Amino acid sequence: MENNDLQKILQSLADGKISVSDAVLKIKNKPFEDLGYAKPDFHRKARQGASEVIYGAGKTPGQIIGISQALINNGQKNILITKLDKEKAGIIGKEIQLDYKETAKIGIIGSMPKEKIGKIVVATGGTSDIPVAEEAAVTAEMLGNNVVRLYDVGVAGIHRLLSNTDEIMTARVIIAIAGMEGALASVIGGLADCPVIAVPTSVGYGASFGGIAALLSMLNSCASGVSVVNIDNGFGAGYQASMINRMKGL
Amino acid sequence: MENNDLQKILQSLADGKISVSDAVLKIKNKPFEDLGYAKPDFHRKARQGASEVIYGAGKTPGQIIGISQALINNGQKNILITKLDKEKAGIIGKEIQLDYKETAKIGIIGSMPKEKIGKIVVATGGTSDIPVAEEAAVTAEMLGNNVVRLYDVGVAGIHRLLSNTDEIMTARVIIAIAGMEGALASVIGGLADCPVIAVPTSVGYGASFGGIAALLSMLNSCASGVSVVNIDNGFGAGYQASMINRMKGL
Amino acid sequence: MENNDLQKILQSLADGKISVSDAVLKIKNKPFEDLGYAKPDFHRKARQGASEVIYGAGKTPGQIIGISQALINNGQKNILITKLDKEKAGIIGKEIQLDYKETAKIGIIGSMPKEKIGKIVVATGGTSDIPVAEEAAVTAEMLGNNVVRLYDVGVAGIHRLLSNTDEIMTARVIIAIAGMEGALASVIGGLADCPVIAVPTSVGYGASFGGIAALLSMLNSCASGVSVVNIDNGFGAGYQASMINRMKGL
Amino acid sequence: MENNDLQKILQSLADGKISVSDAVLKIKNKPFEDLGYAKPDFHRKARQGASEVIYGAGKTPGQIIGISQALINNGQKNILITKLDKEKAGIIGKEIQLDYKETAKIGIIGSMPKEKIGKIVVATGGTSDIPVAEEAAVTAEMLGNNVVRLYDVGVAGIHRLLSNTDEIMTARVIIAIAGMEGALASVIGGLADCPVIAVPTSVGYGASFGGIAALLSMLNSCASGVSVVNIDNGFGAGYQASMINRMKGL
Amino acid sequence: MENNDLQKILQSLADGKISVSDAVLKIKNKPFEDLGYAKPDFHRKARQGASEVIYGAGKTPGQIIGISQALINNGQKNILITKLDKEKAGIIGKEIQLDYKETAKIGIIGSMPKEKIGKIVVATGGTSDIPVAEEAAVTAEMLGNNVVRLYDVGVAGIHRLLSNTDEIMTARVIIAIAGMEGALASVIGGLADCPVIAVPTSVGYGASFGGIAALLSMLNSCASGVSVVNIDNGFGAGYQASMINRMKGL
Amino acid sequence: MENNDLQKILQSLADGKISVSDAVLKIKNKPFEDLGYAKPDFHRKARQGASEVIYGAGKTPGQIIGISQALINNGQKNILITKLDKEKAGIIGKEIQLDYKETAKIGIIGSMPKEKIGKIVVATGGTSDIPVAEEAAVTAEMLGNNVVRLYDVGVAGIHRLLSNTDEIMTARVIIAIAGMEGALASVIGGLADCPVIAVPTSVGYGASFGGIAALLSMLNSCASGVSVVNIDNGFGAGYQASMINRMKGL
Amino acid sequence: MENNDLQKILQSLADGKISVSDAVLKIKNKPFEDLGYAKPDFHRKARQGASEVIYGAGKTPGQIIGISQALINNGQKNILITKLDKEKAGIIGKEIQLDYKETAKIGIIGSMPKEKIGKIVVATGGTSDIPVAEEAAVTAEMLGNNVVRLYDVGVAGIHRLLSNTDEIMTARVIIAIAGMEGALASVIGGLADCPVIAVPTSVGYGASFGGIAALLSMLNSCASGVSVVNIDNGFGAGYQASMINRMKGL
Amino acid sequence: MENNDLQKILQSLADGKISVSDAVLKIKNKPFEDLGYAKPDFHRKARQGASEVIYGAGKTPGQIIGISQALINNGQKNILITKLDKEKAGIIGKEIQLDYKETAKIGIIGSMPKEKIGKIVVATGGTSDIPVAEEAAVTAEMLGNNVVRLYDVGVAGIHRLLSNTDEIMTARVIIAIAGMEGALASVIGGLADCPVIAVPTSVGYGASFGGIAALLSMLNSCASGVSVVNIDNGFGAGYQASMINRMKGL
C-alpha cells in the first residue's frame, strides 16, 4: 500500500466519510483470495498490466483450474501456465479454453497481445536447448515483446554467431541459452552493448551434472553485463527481459 | 566491425583511394594493444562512453599500471580498477593519480561523472554485506547513475524493509545483496515492479559455504524478475544495473 | 533402566524374594521384540503415551504388518506409518484396519485423539509443498495438537504472509515448510516469538538440487529461534513441534 | 503492527485527537534506528524481555560500538555480542564495559540474569567441541536458563553417555553438539523424551569437510524429536533452547 | 610369478630340458582367458581356495554365462554373481544351475561350503538395510564363515544394541551396516575389541543423498578400528571380513 | 576466412571484377545452412576431409534427418550420429540409409573408410565399459584409423594388462576407459610412451557418483602424458585420438 | 559389563557379601574419570593391553597434559598423542617426558614395546605421502607390530611396485597410502592375498580436492579385500592393521 | 621388459654365457634407485631422451636434492622441478646449479635444448592465467618444442582471439588455459584443426570454486578435439603437447 492511498483512506476517515472499521478493513484488505491450497495474488496484475503466471509443476490439474478461475473471476484476461506437461494440459483444456505450446510446455489462457514492442533476441547454443528457449520466447511474446530467435549458434562454430552480429548489436536485451559448457553467454556478452540474461540448461551428459557446468560457467562469465537465472528457467529470463525491454526512457 | 564501416572501406578501395593491402590492414586492424601479458580493449570505450574496467585481482601492480597507461594513451579518461587491495593501490598510486575507495576495494583513475541519472537502489541484508554493496554502488555511480543505499534491511526483521517500500517502488533497478540465506532478493522481487539483480555474498559461516547457500537461494527465487550474478560480484551487478537504468524508451 | 528400578530389583534379591537368575533376567530384560527383520521398541510408548511410528519406506508390506501386529499385541493403540505409498497401503489395509491419508502418505492404525491442545501453525511457501505439510499436520494432530494450516504464503508475495500475522503471533510453535529458496523460515522467524521448525522440501527444479537450496537457506537463517529438519521430513517437524507445544510450564 | 494498535490510532484520528499526518507517521513509524550501516531492531527487546544480540563477525569494532550504543540509548540493558574475536573485544572494551567470554567468543554488555529457570543440558561429543558448547551455554544462561554441561560424552565410549542418563532424562531441552560423525544427536535423541537441538561442529579433518559430515548425520538422524542448526551455531541452539525451556504450560 | 618358479624355469632351460621359446612362453604365460569382452582371472582361485566372484551389474546375461563357463572349464567349483537382478538371474538359470538369493541379489553356482569357521557379526541399523546385509552375509557364508545376523539395532534405540553386547564382544569381525546417519559403526566400534567394517547404505531420503551422509559419518567415526567400504557394498565387506576372520595365528 | 581468400576477394574488387556489394556478400558469406532449429557447419568437412558428426541426444528424429540431409546435399559423404538410441535409429533408418552400431549407439550414414592407418589402442577396465569403448573405437575407425581393442584389463588384475605390454608399447595413441576408481589411465600412462586419452565411465555404484570418482582419479593421474575427456565421452576420445594418430611428421 | 561379572556381583549380594548400595555402585561404576573438559576412558587399556591414544588436534596443551596425567595415574604406561603439532609438543614436553616423532606428528609417552610380531606393510604412492605413512607406521609399531615401509611405489611407475611383490605377498596386512588418484590401493589389492586398508591423503592440487579424488578412487576400488579410512587418517589405519595382524588363529 | 631383451637374456643363458642367477638378476633388475623416501625412475629417461621431472610440491628441499643427485649420477643431464616455490629453490640452488623460472615456478637443472621443433600455441583467457601458462610453455620448451605465447585472448573480447586466427590455424597443438568460465577451450576447439589440450586455472572468485567452473566447462566443451588436464596443471599440458607435437609421421 502506497502513501497516497493510505493518506486518502485516512482523509476519508478524518472527514467522517468512512467509519473506523471500514478504514481498518481497507488498510488491512487482502489483495488475494484464499483457496486453501493457494492464495492467488491479484495485485500483481495491476502492476504488470499483462498476464498473470501459474507455475504448473507440482500442482494438480484441479488446483491449476481453481487458481485460474479465481484469477479470471478477478478480471485477469491472460494467464500463463509454465512447466505444464501435456497430460495435465489435456485435463485442464477440458475445463478452460487453453492454447498449449508443447515445445515451450506453456499453457495460455486468453490471447497473445496484438502490439509487441522493442526487440529481445533469444539465442541458443544448440538444437537441444530449444524447449527452454521457447519457454523464454513465448513468455516474452505474451508479455508484449518482439522476439528474434537465433538457435544453434554455439561457440564451437563461432562463425555461426558472428554472422548474426547485426541481430545481436540491435537487440535491447539478449537471452543466451546454453547447456554443456555454457560459453555462449560470455561470447555474446562480449559482443553486445545491452543486458544479457543467461539461462543454463540441463542439456548435456556426464560432467554437465544436469546444468551445473553451464550454470557455473555463466556465473563466472568474464563479460560484463551478464546475469543468470536458474537452470532451465526460460520463463524467468523471458519475464525479466520483458521488464528491461519495456523500460521507459529517463 | 559493422557493415557500414566495411562498406566504407570497400568503397574507398573500389574508388582507388586506398590500396588492397591497406584494406586488408583496416579490415583486420586490431582494436586493442598487445602488451604481451594483456590485450586491453579500446573498442569497449566507444560503445560505453564511460569508464573502462580492469579486474585487479591476480594482476601485479606493474601489469595494472601498464594496462592503465595503454588505456590512457588511447584516450580513456575514466578507469575503474576492481578487487584491488589496499597494498597494490598504494603502489599504483605512486605512478598514477588514483582515488582509492577502501570499502569497495575500487581504484578510480579520472573523476566521477557530474551528471547522474535515474535511480538504482542498492540494498543489503546486513552490515557485513556492505563491502560488496559499495563495489556495486561505486561502479554504478562511476557509470553515471543515481544510487540509493539501503543497508541492513534483511528479512529477519521484515519491517525494516517494509518501511522503505517507497524507495523500492520508485527504483528503476534494484541490486539486492545478501549472504547467509539470501532471502532478501525474493522479498524485494515480490515487492518491486522493476528488474532485480541479486548478488550473493560470502558472508556467513558453516553451511553458508562461502556464499553457495545465498547463491542457490537467489537462483531459486520464487519471485519473477530476479536474476543473479556471481558471489561477491558487486561490480557485475552495478554494471548491468547501469545498463538497465540507462535504457532509452521505445 | 533407572536407579530406582535397579535398587528395587537388587533389594528384592538381597531380601531373597527373587533368585540371582531372575535378577539377571530383569536387569537385562529387553524392552523390545525381536522379529528378525525388526526390533520394535515398546518402551517408547510408555514415554510418549501416544502413537508409535513406523517409517514405511524401504519396508515390505509384510514387514510393516508384522511390526504393527507386534506393537498392537504389546498394547499399542495408535500407530502412524509414514512415507507409505498408496499401493503398500492397499495391501496392508487388507490385513489391518488402516486409515490412509493420501496427500500426507501416512497410514493410521487406531483413531485420532479426541482432545487436542495448544496451537501449531503449519505454513508453506507454495501449493506444491502441501504433501510435506500434511505429513507434519497429520502427525501433530495424531499426537494431540491443534493445527492451523497456512498454505501458499511464500515470501515473493509477502502481503499474503503479513495478513496472517495474527496466526503467527499466537502460535506456540510454527512449522515453516518451503522448497525453492526456502526464505519462508527466515521471514516467519523474524515475525514470531515462538520456536520455528523449518522443513526444506524437494520442490523446485534446476539449482534447487532436490531441496538442497532450501535446506542451506534455512540452516543459514539470519533469524534466531529457527532449527531445521531433513528435506521433506514433515513427520520429524510435526513430532518435535508436538513435544514443544505440549511442554509443561515451570 | 497489531489490530488493536491500529484501531487505537484510527480512533484517535476519527476523534480528532491526532492529525492525518500524525496518523500516517504513527502507522508507518519505524521500530528501529537507521545508523546507515545498520538498522538495530528495538522491537525485539519488547518481545524477548531479555538480551539483544549482535552478530559480531564481519562487523568493525566501530560498527559494533555504534549499534550497542543505539541499543543502550533505547533502553536495552543486556547485549550479547557473538562470534567476537579477542582483538575486537579489546577495542570495544575500551569504549563500553564488556565482559568477554573467551572460549565462547561472546562479549556481554550488562549482567547475567540472577534468576535462572528450568534445565537445559549442553552435551558435546569431544573436548574440541567445547567452544561451540560454551557459545550455546553462555547464550542460554544470559537468557535466564539453568544449564548443565556434559562434555566429552561421544558415542565411541557409549558408557560415558549412559552413566549420565539421569541428566538426560530430567532435561527440558538438550543441545547435542558434535563434530566428526555427529552421532551424539541420534543416541541422545533415542534416550531423551524432550526436544533435542543438534549442533554440528567444524571439528574434524579429511572427510569431515568442515562440519558437513556431522551436519548430514544429524539431519538424517533416525531418532524422532531432533532438529538441527547451522554448523558451529552454538548461539542459535542456545537461543531456541531458551525459547523451549521457558515455554508456559497450557 | 614368484622367484622360485622363475628359478625353476630358468634352471630347466640351463639344463637344456626346455627350449628358449618354451621358456619365453612359460614366463609370459597368461593366467587368464581372453573372451574378448572379459578376461576372467584363474589365478585368484588358487590364492583364495574358495569361490570366484563376478560383478553382475552392467554385464549382459550372455557375458555372465560366458565368464561363468570359462571359470567352470578352468576347474572353478563355486562362483558368486553379485548385484544380479532377478530377471537376469532367470535367463542365466536356464543355461547354468543357479541358486538365486533374491534379497541379497546374489546368484550362486555350486554349493555352500559345509564347514564354516569363526564368527562374523552382521549388524544393521534398520530393516531397510537388510538387502545389503544379506549380500554381506551370503558372501561371508559362501567363503566359509559363520555369520550371526543382528538386524534393526540402530542407535536411536540404543538398548536394542546394548542387549546384544555378548554377540558383539565375542565376534572376530563385525560388519556394521546403516543408512541415514550411519552412527551404528561408531557405537559398535566403541563397544567391540575386533575390527569393524562399516557399510553405508543408500537407505534414506532428502539430505541422506543416496548414502553420502552415512558414508561421511562412518569415515569420520571417532571410534578406532573402523574402516569403510563403498555405499551398498555388502559384498566387499563380506569378502574382507572373511579374510580377517580366517586369519591364521602368529 | 583466411588472409589469402580475403586478399583474392579484395583484388577482384580492386580490379573491378566484382562489385562492392558482392564483396560484402563474399566476406560475410555464411559457411553453414540455417535450418531454424540447427545451423549445420559445412566448413568443418573441408578441414577434416572425413566424416561430419551429429550429436544425437536431445534432438528429435526429424531434426536429425533434416540436418543429415542438409549435410548430404552439401556434399558430405560420411556422417556419424552419436548417442543415438535404438528407437530413434529405427525412425531415421526409414528415411536415410543408416548403419546402426547398437553397442556404440552410433548411426553411420555412408561407409567406413577403406584405408586405415596407424594404431590406436582402446583399453577398458571392465566388461561394463565396453559401450563407451565401442563409441570411441567406431569413431576412430570411421575417421580412418586402425584400432586395437583391449577390453577388461583393469588394474585389480594387473597381470592382464602387463601381458599386453607389447600392444601398449607400440601404440601411437591409447584411449584408456574405466569406471569405478579409474586407475587404468595412470597405470597405462606409466607404461606407455605415447599420449593417453582417459575416458571416465559412469559404470559403478554408490560413491562412484555416476563417473565422478573415475573422472577425478584420471584428472589427478600421477602419470605424465594423460589428458581426460567428459564422462562416457567415447566419441571425443576417438576423435582426438584420430587427430593425434594422423599427425604428420615434422 | 559382561554376564559373568554381573552374575558374580549379584551372587556376592545374594550371599550377603556385599551390600545393595555396593552392588549398585559396582554395576553403575564409571570406567572413566570426569575432568570436565574430557572423560578419559580407562577400560580401553584393559581391552587393548597396549597404549592409550589421545587425539591431539583441537585440544589445548593443558588439556592434553591433564588427560595424560589422568591416564598415567590410572596405571597407563604408554600413551600415543596423534595429530600433535611441534609447538604443542614442546609445551607438553616440559611437563611430561615425551618422545616426539616430527614427521608422524605423534607424541609418545612411555616406550616402544620390545616385542613386535607379524608383518604390516605400509606402502605410499609418493614421497609426499610419507607423513601420513609414518603416522600409521609409528602407531602400528607402538601397538607391537613389525612394520615394513615401502615408500614411493605409485602406479605411474608400476615396476617399482612389482619389484616389491615379495613384501606384498608375505604381508599379513597392508596399508596402502596415496593422494592424487589413489590407484595404489587397487593395484595392491589385486596383487595381495591379505586385507588392504587404504588411506587417501590430502596430497595433490586442483581437482584432488584435498583428498576427495583419492578417497572416491579407493572406495570404488575394483579389487576385493580393500577397505578405507578417513583422509590422512594414518592412525586409524595403523590401529586397525594392528588388530588384524594380531588376530589369533581359530 | 620387452620380448627381444628377454629372448636375448634367455639365449645367453641357454648358450651358457651367463649363469642362472645372473639371468634372474637381469630379468628382475630394478630400473630405479631406492632412496627410502623416493624411488627415482631411470628408465623414463631412456624413453624420452629429454628431461626428467620432479614434482616439487610436498617434498623437502633435502629430498629434492637427493632425487636430483641420484638422477644426475645416473646420467640424466636435464631435470625439471615443477611446483617449486621460491624459498625452496633458493635452498636447492645452494647445492645444485639451478635456473629458477619464478613465474612458472619451475627449477631447471641443466640447459634448454638448442634445437626446438614444430609449433605449440599456449593461449590464456586472461593475464592472471599467465603463471600456469608459463609452466606449460617452459615445460614444452625444455622438451624441445617451439612455443608461441598468446596471452589475454579470452572470449569476452572475441576479436582479440579472432585476430590471431593465423597462429591458431598453423599450430600443431594448442594449449588453451583459462579460469573463470573457461570458454576459451571451446572457441579455440571450434577454430582449430589440431588437438587442443585445455587447462582450467584456479583464477576467479565466488562460484569459480578454485577452478571447478572452468574444469566443468572444459570437460563439457561442445567442440571436438579437446581434452583436459587437472586444474593449474600447466606441466601436464606442456608434456602431452610435446608428445603430440613431436609425433612422427606414418
Side-chain angles (χ1 to χ4, degrees), chain A residues 126-128 130 150-153 156-157 159-160 163-164 166 180 203-209, chain F residues 30-32 36-41 44 55 57-59 63 67 83 212 215 230-233:
Chain A
T127 300
S128 317
I130 291 180
L150 220 58
Y151 291 166
D152 194 27
V153 292
H159 54 290
R160 297 180 302 183
S163 73
N164 285 289
D166 279 5
M180 300 192 187
V203 167
Y205 64 94
S208 80
F209 301 131
Chain F
K30 291 182 295 187
F32 55 84
Y37 54 83
K39 302 190 172 45
D41 184 349
R44 202 172 290 174
Y55 173 66
K59 293 203 181 71
Q63 290 172 335
I67 297 171
K83 307 275 179 210
I212 297 181
L215 170 63
N230 196 0
I231 297 165
D232 290 338
N233 188 4

Side-chain angles (χ1 to χ4, degrees), chain A residues 8-42:
Chain A
K8 275 184 209 154
I9 296 170
L10 295 180
Q11 194 59 59
S12 302
L13 176 66
D15 297 349
K17 291 181 188 159
I18 60 170
S19 69
V20 165
S21 61
D22 274 5
V24 169
L25 206 73
K26 276 178 193 293
I27 290 171
K28 288 245 155 177
N29 190 27
K30 290 184 296 187
F32 55 83
E33 182 173 350
D34 193 340
L35 303 176
Y37 55 82
K39 302 191 172 43
D41 183 348
F42 303 142

Side-chain angles (χ1 to χ4, degrees), chain E residues 28 30-32 34 36-41 43-44 55 57-59 63 67 83 135 212 215 230-233, chain F residues 126-128 130 149-153 156-157 159-166 180 203-209:
Chain E
K28 289 244 156 182
K30 290 183 296 185
F32 55 83
D34 193 341
Y37 54 82
K39 302 192 172 43
D41 184 348
H43 270 199
R44 201 173 291 175
Y55 172 66
K59 294 203 180 73
Q63 290 172 335
I67 298 171
K83 307 275 178 211
E135 188 183 299
I212 297 181
L215 171 63
N230 196 0
I231 296 166
D232 290 338
N233 189 4
Chain F
T127 300
S128 318
I130 291 179
R149 287 158 172 87
L150 221 57
Y151 291 168
D152 193 28
V153 294
H159 54 290
R160 296 178 303 183
L161 184 62
L162 295 180
S163 72
N164 284 290
T165 312
D166 278 7
M180 301 192 188
V203 167
Y205 64 93
S208 80
F209 302 132

Side-chain angles (χ1 to χ4, degrees), chain B residues 104-150:
Chain B
K105 285 189 182 299
I106 288 183
I108 297 176
I109 295 171
S111 58
M112 274 283 170
K114 268 160 214 155
E115 197 204 10
K116 288 174 195 154
I117 61 172
K119 177 173 177 182
I120 295 174
V121 167
V122 177
T124 75
T127 299
S128 317
D129 303 313
I130 291 179
V132 177
E134 281 300 308
E135 187 183 299
V138 170
T139 297
E141 285 172 340
M142 196 65 188
L143 294 169
N145 305 276
N146 289 315
V147 171
V148 173
R149 287 157 171 87
L150 220 58

Side-chain angles (χ1 to χ4, degrees), chain H residues 80-82 84 99-101 104-108 135 138-139:
Chain H
L80 222 64
I81 310 166
T82 63
L84 182 68
D99 176 14
Y100 184 62
K101 308 287 189 188
K105 285 191 181 298
I106 288 183
I108 297 176
E135 188 184 298
V138 170
T139 297

Side-chain angles (χ1 to χ4, degrees), chain F residues 131-146:
Chain F
V132 177
E134 281 300 308
E135 188 184 299
V138 170
T139 297
E141 287 171 340
M142 196 67 188
L143 294 169
N145 304 276
N146 290 315

Side-chain angles (χ1 to χ4, degrees), chain H residues 222-236:
Chain H
C222 48
S224 306
V226 177
S227 64
V228 186
V229 296
N230 196 1
I231 297 165
D232 290 338
N233 188 5
F235 162 73

Side-chain angles (χ1 to χ4, degrees), chain D residues 58-73:
Chain D
K59 295 204 180 71
T60 64
Q63 290 172 335
I64 295 173
I65 292 167
I67 297 171
S68 299
Q69 273 165 344
L71 288 166
I72 290 167
N73 294 345

